[in-house]
Amino acid sequence: MKKAIIIGITGQDGAYLAKLLLAKEYHVIGVTRSAKKHNFKRLEFLGIDNSIEFVEMPQISFNQICDILKKYNPDEIYNLSAQSSVGASFNIPIETVSYNILSVINWLEAIYTTKPEAKFYQASSSEMFGNVSEQVLPLKESNIFCPASPYGVSKASAHWITINYRESKKVYTTCGILFNHESCLRGDSYIVKKALNTALKIKMGLSKTPLILGDLSVRRDWGYAPSYVEAMWLMMQQEVAADFIICSGNCISLKELIMLIFTKLDLSFDKDVQIDPCLFRPLELETIYGDNSKSKDELGWSYNLTTEELIDQLILDETAFIEWELKK
Ligand code: NAP
């Protein structure tokens, strides 16, 4: 039985990855800052909270990480833990940058000194690219980084230190450069989850609160989170470690995406959507989308959802999630 540690298991990707690895009969160990039950909502929704062994690490501790590695002797370590909000990173830059970099280097150094044959996955982000000119789109693994937020800076730095352990210390490390991926398990403040949840609650007669959003002109590459965690696992099964862009390759503005949701639910965009300038970010990426040909060719990752199909799936999933929460 293979053993995997997932750091950040209580988040969206951690929950879906844990489900995938359990289905592959891994022993899954989840590292969390707080092993209190209220933090396990996503794992409960997927029905896997009782199948995971949890380890609480309230603060980054090199010694505790070494102890965890010695105790569990993992084959694979997935680092999904981060202050993951771009918007919040402008308000809490010190927390974002220090946690998102120091957590990674502590794990890498502990792996190198304690369990150098273990494989390490780092959750890198399309936000590392920053604002790019239209000519370089779609983005490939070889494009340079020019991050435009404290979050992007933290992820770029964590990305390079992860590569550095691969090149200088020969640890199997791999970075997944993931573009936005969504699901009903996304944090409540994230735009697509917020839009789906608010629109569905209006539709179901559970709420009259309108959807309040920031800048709708941004254009992004959105995908489906459960499919993206499959790519993470594939990246850890290769002979030679490398870095991969994981994206849909589709690009649509936030306004078009929200209108699509409202049209599908037969709701009025003009009546139920309001713009609040306070939600605009100090610096925003305008248009960004990626090229997933390397991950498809080299990993055999298959992803073919169109944006319409993605929205249909997300509506189904969010409906199930709201109904589950109502029954709790
Ligand atoms: P998420 O839902 O926000 O989960 C991240 C987890 O990190 C949380 O559940 C939390 O677990 C832990 N964490 C540690 N320090 C934190 C802090 N200061 N604030 C908040 N949480 C903190 O993230 P996700 O969407 O699953 O994404 C997984 C990883 O991929 C993250 O590193 C993210 O930056 C990256 N990423 C995500 C996307 C996306 O579209 N979702 C795109 C590119 C990259 P505990 O409370 O249990 O410790």
Side-chain angles (χ1 to χ4, degrees):
M1 185 188 248
K2 271 194 174 181
K3 277 183 265 178
I5 291 181
I6 302 177
I7 313 148
I9 196 161
T10 62
Q12 166 188 262
D13 291 2
Y16 282 120
L17 179 65
K19 188 172 180 196
L20 180 81
L21 296 185
L22 287 168
K24 293 183 185 296
E25 303 198 332
Y26 277 61
H27 175 189
V28 177
I29 299 110
V31 178
T32 168
R33 292 169 306 164
S34 165
K36 301 258 169 8
K37 208 168 158 39
H38 67 81
N39 209 11
F40 296 161
K41 183 174 76 173
R42 297 178 175 97
L43 301 164
E44 268 178 52
F45 174 71
L46 296 179
I48 56 171
D49 49 318
N50 292 325
S51 308
I52 293 158
E53 197 169 335
F54 293 102
V55 178
E56 200 168 54
M57 184 160 60
Q59 286 186 334
I60 305 162
S61 156
F62 179 76
N63 290 337
Q64 192 187 350
I65 296 173
C66 291
D67 290 345
I68 293 170
L69 294 172
K70 283 181 205 149
K71 179 173 176 191
Y72 292 104
N73 203 22
D75 302 285
E76 297 170 10
I77 299 153
Y78 295 83
N79 180 34
L80 308 179
S81 171
Q83 192 301 98
S84 66
S85 162
V86 178
S89 80
F90 287 101
N91 300 324
I92 49 167
I94 298 172
E95 179 182 333
T96 304
V97 172
S98 54
Y99 184 86
N100 291 3
I101 299 173
L102 289 178
S103 56
V104 180
I105 193 162
N106 272 273
W107 275 95
L108 286 167
E109 186 59 16
I111 291 167
Y112 174 62
T113 51
T114 314
K115 178 87 175 101
E117 65 282 17
K119 295 181 169 184
F120 180 81
Y121 172 90
Q122 169 59 13
S124 292
S125 163
S126 57
E127 291 286 329
M128 301 186 305
F129 292 113
N131 258 319
V132 293
S133 66
E134 292 269 345
Q135 292 97 298
V136 301
L137 294 167
L139 287 159
K140 298 182 183 56
E141 288 79 0
S142 54
N143 284 105
I144 58 160
F145 300 151
C146 193
S149 64
Y151 171 81
V153 170
S154 73
K155 284 288 179 180
S157 196
H159 180 87
W160 281 118
I161 196 67
T162 303
I163 291 175
N164 190 259
Y165 270 76
R166 179 165 79 223
E167 293 182 345
S168 70
K169 300 188 174 175
K170 310 300 171 212
V171 179
Y172 185 112
T173 68
T174 172
C175 300
I177 307 171
L178 271 61
F179 283 60
N180 292 53
H181 46 283
E182 308 299 323
S183 76
C184 60
L185 301 187
R186 193 79 146 121
D188 294 337
S189 61
Y190 290 81
I191 205 101
V192 177
K193 162 82 187 182
K194 183 171 149 181
L196 283 158
N197 191 273
T198 308
L200 274 162
K201 282 185 174 158
I202 295 171
K203 179 80 185 166
M204 293 159 107
L206 297 170
S207 166
K208 290 195 166 123
T209 313
L211 175 61
I212 303 171
L213 297 172
D215 185 358
L216 296 188
S217 68
V218 299
R219 293 168 57 77
R220 290 282 185 279
D221 178 328
W222 279 284
Y224 188 48
S227 304
Y228 282 32
V229 300
E230 287 170 13
M232 296 178 187
W233 178 78
L234 286 169
M235 289 171 63
M236 294 285 255
Q237 313 310 312
Q238 304 306 302
E239 285 273 304
V240 180
D243 309 312
F244 294 88
I245 279 184
I246 307 299
C247 66
S248 72
N250 305 322
C251 184
I252 180 174
S253 77
L254 185 54
K255 183 166 185 183
E256 288 168 303
L257 188 90
I258 304 293
M259 287 182 93
L260 200 53
I261 294 171
F262 274 66
T263 307
K264 281 186 183 287
L265 293 177
D266 214 8
L267 294 172
S268 159
F269 179 90
D270 293 333
K271 183 169 152 271
D272 289 317
V273 179
Q274 292 174 11
I275 302 301
D276 180 355
C278 296
L279 295 176
F280 281 52
R281 291 174 184 163
L283 193 59
E284 186 58 275
L285 308 193
E286 284 153 22
T287 301
I288 185 165
Y289 60 96
D291 176 347
N292 57 21
S293 50
K294 183 181 175 191
S295 51
K296 284 186 166 173
D297 295 346
E298 294 183 22
L299 299 176
W301 181 58
S302 62
Y303 186 88
N304 297 308
L305 283 184
T306 63
T307 306
E308 282 238 6
E309 289 165 342
L310 170 68
I311 297 300
D312 289 339
Q313 185 64 51
L314 291 175
I315 289 174
L316 278 177
D317 293 356
E318 190 64 33
T319 307
F321 189 77
I322 292 171
E323 285 168 353
W324 176 78
E325 280 200 310
L326 285 173
K327 274 195 227 131
K328 267 184 79 182

